[in-house]
Amino acid sequence: MKWLDLLDVRLKEDAALSRLYEEKGPITQGAQAGCFLVVHKETGVHYSMRVYQNKDLSQWKLDELSSALAAQRKLNDAPEDEDLRCFSRLHEVLGSPERTLVVSELTPTQGGTCTDLFSLVERLGRIGEKDARQIFTRLVLAVKAAHHAGVMLRNVKPEGVQVYKPARPRGCTHRLPRPRATARPACPAPRSPGRLAPLASRAPC
């Protein structure tokens, strides 16, 4: 796989990114920690951006990134499905002589509960059975929907799952958390219909 084949947009120089996106700083918590918050200057939409230094992209890493991006693009092209909307969608991939930039849909960052599942369990010690059942069910349905779209997922980890529950005024009925996963699909096509490999965490966002 050639590096140019990964790209949606090729930048002549690294500074050209500033004409397209405004960088707001690093994302320090949640499933997209390690990415950067960016704002598209034309639309005003907020995204997360994962940065790869080209000098660090060995052939092995390039092939791995290529497989992940091919699978994410396949998910983007799949028929609309509520369960597939659990995945943070790939927006575009940009490349300059110095860096490769993977821009993805931003997971929710505000709410009564808005963090990755690992941090939530670490903070609370445990999650109630009712909430845990809903989170697990949504994850299973999301993986199943991805499998039906021809994409296998791997390495489902709690730190790669964003749990979001909108803040509600006192007196309102409880609303259960809704998980949102940052997807790193492993390969574009499954080998057998009965086997599912899980979702990876954090990279690419």
Side-chain angles (χ1 to χ4, degrees), residues 26-36 50 116 159 162 202-203 205:
I27 298 173
T28 59
Q29 60 183 0
Q32 290 180 328
C35 297
F36 290 87
R50 171 74 65 177
D116 64 276
E159 59 265 34
Q162 187 85 346
R202 294 198 177 181
C205 293

Side-chain angles (χ1 to χ4, degrees), residues 121-138:
V121 174
E122 190 175 47
R123 176 165 59 87
L124 298 179
R126 65 184 297 274
I127 296 177
E129 181 180 347
K130 189 175 180 181
D131 287 1
R133 185 186 301 117
Q134 180 174 351
I135 292 171
F136 182 77
T137 299
R138 289 186 64 85

Side-chain angles (χ1 to χ4, degrees), residues 10-204:
R10 185 180 182 184
L11 306 174
K12 291 184 178 180
E13 57 183 0
D14 206 58
L17 177 68
S18 63
R19 294 196 288 269
L20 300 174
Y21 290 93
E22 180 183 356
E23 295 190 49
K24 292 292 190 178
I27 298 173
T28 59
Q29 60 183 0
Q32 290 180 328
C35 297
F36 290 87
L37 177 63
V38 296
V39 181
H40 193 277
K41 288 192 172 181
E42 183 176 340
T43 65
V45 177
H46 289 61
Y47 294 99
S48 70
M49 182 177 74
R50 171 74 65 177
V51 177
Y52 297 88
Q53 299 296 329
N54 291 343
K55 62 182 177 61
D56 297 329
L57 284 179
S58 64
Q59 188 59 52
W60 177 82
K61 289 183 178 180
L62 188 63
D63 289 343
E64 184 182 58
L65 180 59
S66 173
S67 294
L69 293 175
Q72 286 190 305
R73 285 167 172 147
K74 192 165 189 175
L75 286 180
N76 284 358
D77 293 338
E80 187 65 28
D81 184 289
E82 181 181 355
D83 293 321
L84 286 179
R85 289 301 303 156
C86 284
F87 295 109
S88 177
R89 297 296 183 94
L90 176 68
H91 178 62
E92 63 179 349
V93 182
L94 305 95
S96 73
E98 292 82 25
R99 301 188 298 172
T100 300
L101 311 165
V102 179
V103 181
S104 300
E105 182 181 27
L106 186 68
T107 57
T109 56
Q110 296 180 347
T113 299
C114 192
T115 186
D116 64 276
L117 185 57
F118 180 86
S119 297
L120 183 64
V121 174
E122 190 175 47
R123 176 165 59 87
L124 298 179
R126 65 184 297 274
I127 296 177
E129 181 180 347
K130 189 175 180 181
D131 287 1
R133 185 186 301 117
Q134 180 174 351
I135 292 171
F136 182 77
T137 299
R138 289 186 64 85
L139 285 174
V140 169
L141 291 175
V143 171
K144 180 180 179 182
H147 187 261
H148 286 167
V151 173
M152 292 180 69
L153 305 172
R154 65 183 184 188
N155 296 340
V156 174
K157 297 179 180 178
E159 59 265 34
V161 177
Q162 187 85 346
V163 180
Y164 170 63
K165 181 178 69 178
R168 300 179 69 85
R170 290 184 180 180
C172 290
T173 57
H174 180 61
R175 183 174 178 179
L176 298 179
R178 296 172 61 86
R180 187 70 173 275
T182 53
R184 187 187 186 181
C187 33
R191 293 185 177 180
S192 66
R195 297 181 62 187
L196 290 177
L199 174 77
S201 64
R202 294 198 177 181

